[in-house]
Amino acid sequence: MSVLARSVGNAFRNKIRTSAVVAVLAVAIGLALSMLVANQAVGSKVQELNASVGTVLTVNPAGGQGFEGGGEPLTTAESATAAAVPNVVSVVGTKALRLENESATSTSSTGTTSQQGGPGGGPGGGTSVTTSLKAAIDAGTLGNRNNTNSNSGAAGGSGTGNSGAAPTFSLPITATGIGAEVDTSGKALNITSGTGLGDYTAASTKALLGTTLADKNGLKVGSTFTIAGKTFTVAGIFDAGTTFGNNAVYTTLAEAQALASTPGELSSMVVTVNSMDNVDAAKTALQSALGSDKADVTQGQRNLETAVSSLDSVKNISLVAFIAALGTAGLIILLIMVMLVRERRREIGVLKAIGARNRTIGLQFVLEALVLVALGSVVGAAIAAFASGSIASALISSNSTTSASNQRGPGGGGFGGGFGGGGAFGGASQLLTSVTASASPSTIAIGVAAVFAVAVVGALVPALLTARIRPIEVLRGE
Amino acid sequence: MIEVKDLVRQFKTGDRTIKPVNGVSFELEKGTLASIVGKSGSGKSTLLSLLGALDKPTSGDVVVDGVSLAGLPDGKLTEYRRRDIGFVFQQFNLIPNLSAIDNVMLPMEFAGMRKGARLERARTLLEQVQLDPEKHSRRINRLSGGEQQRVAIARALGNEPKLILADEPTGNLDEQTGDHIIELLSSLSRDHNTTILVVTHDRTLAQKTDRRFRLQQGQLTEEAVRPRVVAGA
Ligand SMILES: Nc1ncnc2c1ncn2[C@@H]1O[C@H](COP(=O)(O)OP(=O)(O)OP(=O)(O)O)[C@@H](O)[C@H]1O
Ligand SMILES: [Mg+2]
């Protein structure tokens, strides 16, 4: 008979009570573990999001975005200014071109660059040039509606005549000159075959094509096509993940600037900030460095940020619930052990009368508490394994109802903005549901360790109470 | 060698103060078998608990082999109870959900004895108090009063104490078994030089002890000196 054996024996002395205590403990421990699992799952998702898209700012010319709006274009000099702003990790300039298929623009002189509205004129920033490529997207209802809109906008500009092209209208292709191997939202390009463009700041007749655009035109790595009459070689094919994103061409920044005959001009800048926490401060600093009359700084992935903050609140809720459930487990242990110590005062007195040290008796009670907690943990872990998935998704769905309404806000912009917002919204809701809470053994182990730590603390108080019991009490049946 | 010096223990009940032990002094040589008699409620158990460091006197002191109990901290008093004292309680005070043998092994475990050694010693002791071997592993609450009393005696002997304090150790035993227990105790005092103080109502038991005390109105008086020596002369 050792201290441990005695503790185990004592834990089972009253089987009905032991079962009741274990059941209550199991609920508390199961809840604690579920919350921990949810917390870890959401936490890693938040980290993943922060690491990828949450830290990107987009700078557009004041009053313009994509091919719409007006104002002064951004310049390479301004990208240097932006790079000097604190917390900014990188600045990637882009130059967007609108490519129109040669056959669709046959009414205008083939092979010449047609400036669609200069700075200060109608739609600014965008430049239309011809190409041998055919768009991978059919115009459809949306396209035709957008085309009408853009033509009415173009009417306000210099009006170089492609407005008569409506019957043969096909969607334009976006060609973007990029200063690094990232897309216009700052995400690294996923090149599925071929290679990148190497030095993105030098002029080069190599280009990257989206998968669907390449398929539509029957192009492979090494194939050639033309932009503004100039022959380009396909260096690589990328997959942007969306149909819209894959109907695009990337060239080096310098090449796009040359094609548009606007050296040093940028359509937008993609600014990456070092951490999610600094994004707001960097945005303000960037805006004042560039001047609010010159540039608009927007958080391209605002909706994702909303998603992240809603996930963050889920994370906080689950953490609080974990601590609360843990505290409850500790409290249960504390109360049970106080009760047991009171009940066994006489026995404790006897043990002391025959020479047991205080620490021997204290240890016996702590071990007895741990036996109860061990049983509670086994049942609790089983509960958590079954319940944590549904608890996590219940937490997230109740929270994303509020975040979804927020997400619709920035989605209402123009052509580019609308698509971007919609795509990102889809991504955000997808990531909310993709948080899968799986009870990994290591998480459960951490949780159980925490439960045991709390139980030791909870059992220590009553165990220390035993030290105050005087052996003489046993002689008088008090 | 135990010296008891002007020991006083008083209790306050309501506005009355009673002093069941009121100025008790005596000395016991090593290896003495002594008895205390006295009316019920005269304070015998109270005196014994003071000697066994289960209770603290209102005043006075107990000195065991030159060490004053009054000057010892609680930890040392626990050690004194564990190593030097074997206490047989009037109400046995065994742990009810443990077996007889586990109860006997408890003090040995507290003293750090190895498991095999304590099992063997516990068996020997239970045999010495004549408990049926088949009852060694029976739970305490399934033993008779007399059987429990003998387990309590066996437990007190576990750590070879130098002072055994036994409160009515034969109160629940038949004459024959009682005689055997007395024989066991006197052999311990003879052969192991153990000092033994027995509280009893049993006149015949008291007759067999080296020294006989009577507790009356808080005072201890010795009845006759060394009857065994006198009888043998
Ligand atoms: N904790 C206490 N508080 C108040 N009075 C007490 C306390 N302990 C003992 N007494 C009283 O002290 C007196 C002596 O009690 P004690 O148990 O020592 O008697 P005893 O001689 O052992 O009697 P018995 O032969 O019946 O066992 C009794 O009157 C008892 O009521
Ligand atoms: Mg008594």
Side-chain angles (χ1 to χ4, degrees), chain B residues 44-46 90 167-168 199:
Chain B
K44 304 182 294 295
S45 297
T46 304
Q90 194 169 8
D167 203 343
E168 308 249 17
V199 166

Side-chain angles (χ1 to χ4, degrees), chain A residues 8-397:
Chain A
V8 175
N10 281 340
F12 289 101
R13 216 144 130 179
N14 184 334
K15 291 193 180 62
I16 294 172
R17 185 169 66 198
T18 299
S19 315
V21 169
V22 167
V24 176
L25 272 177
V27 171
I29 293 170
L31 193 63
L33 294 179
S34 301
M35 286 303 158
L36 185 65
V37 168
N39 181 269
Q40 304 249 311
V42 172
S44 61
K45 192 77 201 180
V46 166
Q47 220 167 28
E48 184 186 308
L49 285 174
N50 281 349
S52 61
V53 289
T55 55
V56 173
L57 294 171
T58 307
V59 182
N60 285 298
Q65 188 168 342
F67 299 107
E68 315 293 326
E72 294 295 327
L74 295 167
T75 64
T76 313
E78 278 164 324
S79 82
T81 311
V85 169
N87 297 322
V88 167
V89 176
S90 73
V91 177
V92 177
T94 72
K95 175 65 190 172
L97 295 169
R98 181 180 267 188
L99 303 183
E100 311 239 327
N101 188 266
E102 282 149 6
S103 61
T105 57
S106 54
T107 47
S108 65
S109 52
T110 312
T112 58
T113 306
S114 66
Q115 290 281 88
Q116 197 182 30
T127 307
S128 270
V129 294
T130 57
T131 179
S132 63
L133 296 170
K134 277 199 190 65
I137 306 171
D138 292 330
T141 311
L142 277 176
N144 281 319
R145 200 185 296 153
N146 283 323
N147 185 48
T148 318
N149 290 345
S150 85
N151 279 342
S152 63
S158 60
T160 316
N162 65 348
S163 53
T168 55
F169 171 73
S170 74
L171 272 185
I173 300 159
T174 310
T176 311
I178 43 177
E181 201 166 289
V182 293
D183 68 10
T184 48
S185 64
K187 253 180 20 204
L189 284 177
N190 174 22
I191 296 174
T192 53
S193 66
T195 60
L197 300 179
D199 183 0
Y200 284 79
T201 54
S204 154
T205 56
K206 288 193 287 187
L208 300 171
L209 259 63
T211 49
T212 53
L213 188 62
D215 284 351
K216 173 87 176 184
N217 293 282
L219 299 177
K220 284 198 274 291
V221 173
S223 310
T224 59
F225 63 98
T226 65
I227 299 175
K230 195 169 173 182
T231 304
F232 281 80
T233 312
V234 179
I237 311 271
F238 66 88
D239 183 7
T242 65
T243 310
F244 180 76
N246 282 335
N247 184 38
V249 180
Y250 287 111
T251 66
T252 65
L253 179 60
E255 188 62 37
Q257 286 171 334
L259 284 172
S261 325
T262 53
E265 245 181 62
L266 300 173
S267 315
S268 72
M269 294 189 285
V270 177
V271 177
T272 307
V273 181
N274 56 6
S275 95
M276 188 83 177
D277 299 332
N278 295 328
V279 167
D280 284 338
K283 188 180 167 191
T284 314
L286 204 55
Q287 187 70 75
S288 63
L290 297 173
S292 52
D293 55 332
K294 287 266 176 54
D296 282 336
V297 180
T298 52
Q299 202 169 342
Q301 305 289 345
R302 190 86 218 176
N303 37 20
L304 280 180
E305 191 208 31
T306 320
V308 165
S309 76
S310 87
L311 281 182
D312 257 337
S313 71
V314 171
K315 195 180 156 204
N316 290 338
I317 291 168
S318 59
L319 185 67
V320 169
F322 169 66
I323 293 168
L326 209 59
T328 307
L331 201 64
I332 293 168
I333 284 293
L334 179 82
L335 295 176
I336 289 296
M337 295 320 287
V338 166
M339 191 179 87
L340 287 180
V341 166
R342 287 185 67 94
E343 201 176 276
R344 294 200 208 132
R345 276 181 85 80
R346 188 182 166 83
E347 185 178 319
I348 293 163
V350 172
L351 293 176
K352 288 192 174 190
I354 61 174
R357 295 173 186 86
N358 284 335
R359 65 162 186 266
T360 309
I361 297 169
L363 177 68
Q364 183 183 317
F365 274 88
V366 170
L367 286 177
E368 184 171 341
L370 292 186
V371 170
L372 295 174
V373 170
L375 291 173
S377 294
V378 171
V379 183
I383 291 176
F386 283 107
S388 59
S390 51
I391 285 178
S393 55
L395 272 177
I396 286 165
S397 65

Side-chain angles (χ1 to χ4, degrees), chain A residues 476, chain B residues 11 13 18 20 39-46 90 168 201:
Chain A
R476 319 272 157 208
Chain B
F11 296 110
T13 45
I18 57 163
K39 278 195 194 141
S40 176
S42 58
K44 304 182 294 295
S45 297
T46 304
Q90 194 169 8
E168 308 249 17
H201 285 296

Side-chain angles (χ1 to χ4, degrees), chain A residues 400-467:
Chain A
S400 58
T401 332
T402 52
S403 69
S405 56
N406 292 341
Q407 281 163 10
R408 291 190 201 286
F415 181 71
F419 265 93
F425 169 64
S429 59
Q430 190 192 352
L431 70 87
L432 285 177
T433 52
S434 72
V435 178
T436 47
S438 58
S440 77
S442 67
T443 303
I444 293 286
I446 292 168
V448 169
V451 167
F452 271 83
V454 167
V456 168
V457 173
L460 222 50
V461 178
L464 291 176
L465 284 180
T466 63

Side-chain angles (χ1 to χ4, degrees), chain B residues 79-136:
Chain B
E79 190 185 323
Y80 166 71
R81 290 196 295 268
R82 182 169 63 239
R83 279 188 14 197
D84 297 340
I85 300 290
F87 208 111
V88 183
F89 300 92
Q90 194 169 8
Q91 269 100 21
F92 317 146
N93 288 325
L94 298 162
I95 308 296
N97 70 315
L98 295 185
S99 68
I101 197 151
D102 282 339
N103 264 281
V104 176
M105 286 194 297
L106 266 184
M108 304 180 209
E109 181 196 318
F110 298 151
M113 200 187 287
R114 295 182 59 86
K115 183 153 191 180
R118 33 182 219 259
L119 199 66
E120 202 181 301
R121 175 147 179 80
R123 264 203 205 104
T124 311
L125 288 170
L126 285 174
E127 276 162 21
Q128 280 180 9
V129 297
Q130 295 185 323
L131 189 75
D132 279 357
E134 64 180 45
K135 290 174 182 166
H136 286 192

